[in-house]
Amino acid sequence: MKLITFEGIEGVGKSTQINLVLDWLKTKGFSTKLLREPGSTNFGEQIRELLLSKESNISAHTELLLMFAARSEMIKDHLMDSKEDFILCDRYYHASIAYQGFGRKLSLDLINFLINGINCPTPDLTIIYDLDVKTGFERKANDVIDRIESSGINFFEDVRKGYQQLAKDRSEVEILDASEPIDLISQQTKTLVERLF
Ligand code: TMP
């Protein structure tokens, strides 16, 4: 099993790219599974609702711990003993480093402790789609904004910096320019994925 995770701030076109690569892998005859975080289990989807609801007035630590509670369930149900050739996950623990670490300013040591402590498998490939924060929000102008998306421009500037730092620090992480045309980004995504064949 190869685990590929997809990351980026709001409006980078992550879902479009995931679906394009998923269809492409299927046409090549690979078995695949698509997951998302937080979510992908019954329990995790309930946690997702709590996390994204504007009625949840929670601390940054609660936010972090709920992300990891959902993650632990997803790992148990979907990543342990997986039989698929490829698992694609829409966000994973790099999002906790970027959003809760760089964005909410929680301890990176604590986040790395949780990553190791709940035995998160390291992805074979993590693709970050990088985009200017304002452009990302302009693309989502007509969408209903959830609790985390309501965190403001400065928060997302910090999250973006976090992702850029992760691309520098971690060997599994690749970064692509999300301001390019969709077809070009899709080609670049496939070239990265092909290295795992
Ligand atoms: P999305 O996957 O639909 O974008 O929504 C998930 C939201 O949760 C998104 O705003 C990013 C945020 N998130 C974190 O803050 N930390 C995490 O660890 C994960 C997985 C997601």
Side-chain angles (χ1 to χ4, degrees), residues 37-39 43-71 96 100 104 146-151:
E37 277 216 312
F43 198 76
E45 290 294 333
Q46 291 179 59
I47 292 177
R48 181 187 178 90
E49 274 189 34
L50 286 171
L51 278 164
L52 300 187
S53 166
K54 282 189 174 165
E55 285 174 23
S56 299
N57 184 12
I58 56 174
S59 74
H61 277 115
T62 300
E63 183 178 280
L64 174 74
L65 294 169
L66 286 176
M67 292 292 175
F68 273 88
R71 181 161 298 135
S96 297
Q100 281 68 51
R104 304 276 192 234
D146 65 39
R147 189 185 62 83
I148 296 178
E149 287 165 340
S150 313
S151 302

Side-chain angles (χ1 to χ4, degrees), residues 31-151:
S31 58
T32 58
K33 191 189 268 187
L34 175 61
L35 303 173
R36 69 169 179 180
E37 277 216 312
S40 301
T41 64
N42 285 339
F43 198 76
E45 290 294 333
Q46 291 179 59
I47 292 177
R48 181 187 178 90
E49 274 189 34
L50 286 171
L51 278 164
L52 300 187
S53 166
K54 282 189 174 165
E55 285 174 23
S56 299
N57 184 12
I58 56 174
S59 74
H61 277 115
T62 300
E63 183 178 280
L64 174 74
L65 294 169
L66 286 176
M67 292 292 175
F68 273 88
R71 181 161 298 135
S72 177
E73 289 304 301
M74 187 190 80
I75 292 169
K76 168 175 70 69
D77 286 3
H78 294 295
L79 299 189
M80 295 288 120
D81 310 319
S82 159
K83 294 184 178 51
E84 286 79 16
D85 297 319
F86 285 92
I87 294 191
L88 275 52
C89 194
D90 187 341
R91 300 192 187 280
Y92 189 43
Y93 62 68
H94 298 86
S96 297
I97 298 171
Y99 279 73
Q100 281 68 51
F102 284 77
R104 304 276 192 234
K105 313 284 184 223
L106 296 186
S107 156
L108 294 177
D109 284 345
L110 170 62
I111 298 171
N112 284 316
F113 177 81
L114 289 169
I115 292 169
N116 295 324
I118 71 162
N119 298 320
C120 294
T122 306
D124 296 283
L125 171 66
T126 294
I127 305 177
I128 293 171
Y129 298 98
D130 181 61
L131 187 66
D132 170 71
V133 175
K134 287 204 175 94
T135 311
F137 273 101
E138 276 160 22
R139 289 185 185 177
K140 296 201 79 174
N142 295 326
D143 294 8
V144 178
I145 299 288
D146 65 39
R147 189 185 62 83
I148 296 178
E149 287 165 340
S150 313
S151 302

Side-chain angles (χ1 to χ4, degrees), residues 6-9 11-19 90-91 129:
F6 298 82
E7 299 280 356
I9 58 163
V12 295
K14 192 166 43 75
S15 305
T16 306
Q17 293 300 331
I18 295 172
N19 284 313
D90 187 341
R91 300 192 187 280
Y129 298 98

